[in-house]
Amino acid sequence: MKRLQDRVAVVTGAGSGIGAAMARRFGAAGMKVVVSDVDLQAAQATADALAASGVEACAVRTDVADAAQVEALADAAYARYGAVHLLCNNAGVVPSGRHRHVWEIPLEDWQWSHGVNAMGLVHGIRAFVPRMLAGGDEGHVVTTASIAGLISSAGSVAYSAAKHEAVRVTEALYAGLLERQAPIGVTLLCPGLVNTRIYESERNRPPGLLPDGGAAAEAPELAAVAGELYRTAVSPDDVAQQVLQAVLDSRFYVLTSDAFDHAVRERCEAVLARRNPHFESVFSLVRRDQRQREESER
Ligand SMILES: NC(=O)c1ccc[n+]([C@@H]2O[C@H](COP(=O)([O-])OP(=O)(O)OC[C@H]3O[C@@H](n4cnc5c(N)ncnc54)[C@H](O)[C@@H]3O)[C@@H](O)[C@H]2O)c1
């Protein structure tokens, strides 16, 4: 997508973190922004801040896990601005208790994570892409997946499995739009650690998806360092700048850190060599990301 000025962006999960930063970045580039979030107050705060800096913006409450609400978001965006050029399917959640094994995770965690992280993306594509194609303008779709969608380990599996699905769906979207020769680009954003409120995702869990006994506590080893890990991570504004550049350059893969490259490579090489893989723990992977950042800052 070459021209952003006066065009229209829709960003889900834009009340906080990476979504709010993308809303600000695309607003600063001259776009009108539909700021969507399941937390209406947070979406309104982002939209108000944009409006205060002269950007045309509005807030819409949407739970992306609900197909009808995402259709209603598309209806609202098209009713207000007549077109959508940039869709950022960004909303996401991480159920707490990342250390638990696949057989220990309650159904509610699978349902919540899959509903938001995977089906939220599918709902966004189904509600917007046919309308974007019919509009005939150039456009772009961004998926916020995760580096967790490209690698494997024992931990954080309800989240990571949904992000693997998001990667697969986004690759199919990219391939399908190319087959159609549509003027719509696609970017698959796979961040490493970013300084946002993702560690506090439980704030958005619907009460109906709370397992018996409540949300799991984190392992003490992770809980002790989580605050510091996220505080010292890459800023969401840095990530939003990388996304803006990828949209302008029609770039598909955006990995915000190279600290996980070895894990991506190890998985692919094990598959191709037909040998058993070596998977590092999530904890060891994120510590490696942190160490690498500290070294590059020195
Ligand atoms: N922060 C990281 O380290 C990191 C790393 C890789 C990927 N990601 C991904 O980045 C995306 C944005 O997360 P973030 O890090 O900015 O976290 P964040 O918690 O700061 O922001 C997420 C936003 O999504 C909203 N949200 C939650 N459930 C929703 C739902 N059902 N419908 C609509 N909105 C919903 C929240 O209210 C919040 O405003 C997520 O998809 C996340 O998985 C984050």
Side-chain angles (χ1 to χ4, degrees), residues 38-254:
V38 71
D39 177 344
L40 181 59
Q41 253 188 325
Q44 194 62 58
T46 303
D48 289 349
L50 287 176
S53 64
V55 175
E56 167 78 48
C58 65
V60 179
R61 184 189 181 277
T62 316
D63 178 351
V64 298
D66 180 338
Q69 291 190 34
V70 182
E71 283 292 340
L73 169 65
D75 290 345
Y78 276 83
R80 185 161 178 135
Y81 296 121
V84 170
H85 303 92
L86 173 66
L87 169 66
C88 299
N89 287 307
N90 166 78
V93 291
V94 184
S96 63
R98 292 161 173 78
H99 58 288
R100 290 167 307 166
H101 293 294
V102 62
W103 59 90
E104 298 169 333
I105 295 169
L107 275 184
E108 289 86 350
D109 284 27
W110 292 102
Q111 287 160 347
W112 181 38
S113 177
H114 187 254
V116 178
N117 294 316
M119 292 312 293
L121 166 65
V122 172
H123 295 153
I125 291 169
R126 286 173 49 81
F128 284 90
V129 172
R131 303 189 210 208
M132 291 168 77
L133 285 167
D137 284 342
E138 65 163 357
H140 205 95
V141 181
V142 177
T143 296
T144 308
S146 171
I147 197 67
L150 297 175
I151 62 180
S152 285
S153 67
S156 222
V157 59
Y159 174 70
S160 303
K163 290 297 188 180
H164 272 258
E165 184 174 346
V167 167
R168 177 66 182 85
V169 169
T170 307
E171 288 173 341
L173 176 68
Y174 173 77
L177 289 170
L178 268 186
E179 271 178 26
R180 274 279 300 259
Q181 297 183 319
I184 300 176
V186 182
T187 290
L188 176 64
L189 171 63
C190 293
L193 282 192
V194 186
N195 181 6
T196 70
R197 294 188 67 199
I198 196 77
Y199 191 72
E200 302 161 53
S201 288
E202 289 292 339
R203 72 192 189 278
N204 286 308
R205 187 194 284 257
L209 289 181
L210 204 58
D212 285 346
E218 294 299 351
E221 191 191 24
L222 179 59
V225 294
E228 182 211 342
L229 277 179
Y230 283 95
R231 224 177 5 262
T232 57
V234 171
S235 80
D237 291 321
D238 276 3
V239 175
Q241 177 59 34
Q242 292 184 44
V243 174
L244 174 86
Q245 204 52 55
V247 169
L248 293 173
D249 296 346
S250 288
R251 192 147 37 82
F252 184 67
Y253 291 112
V254 174

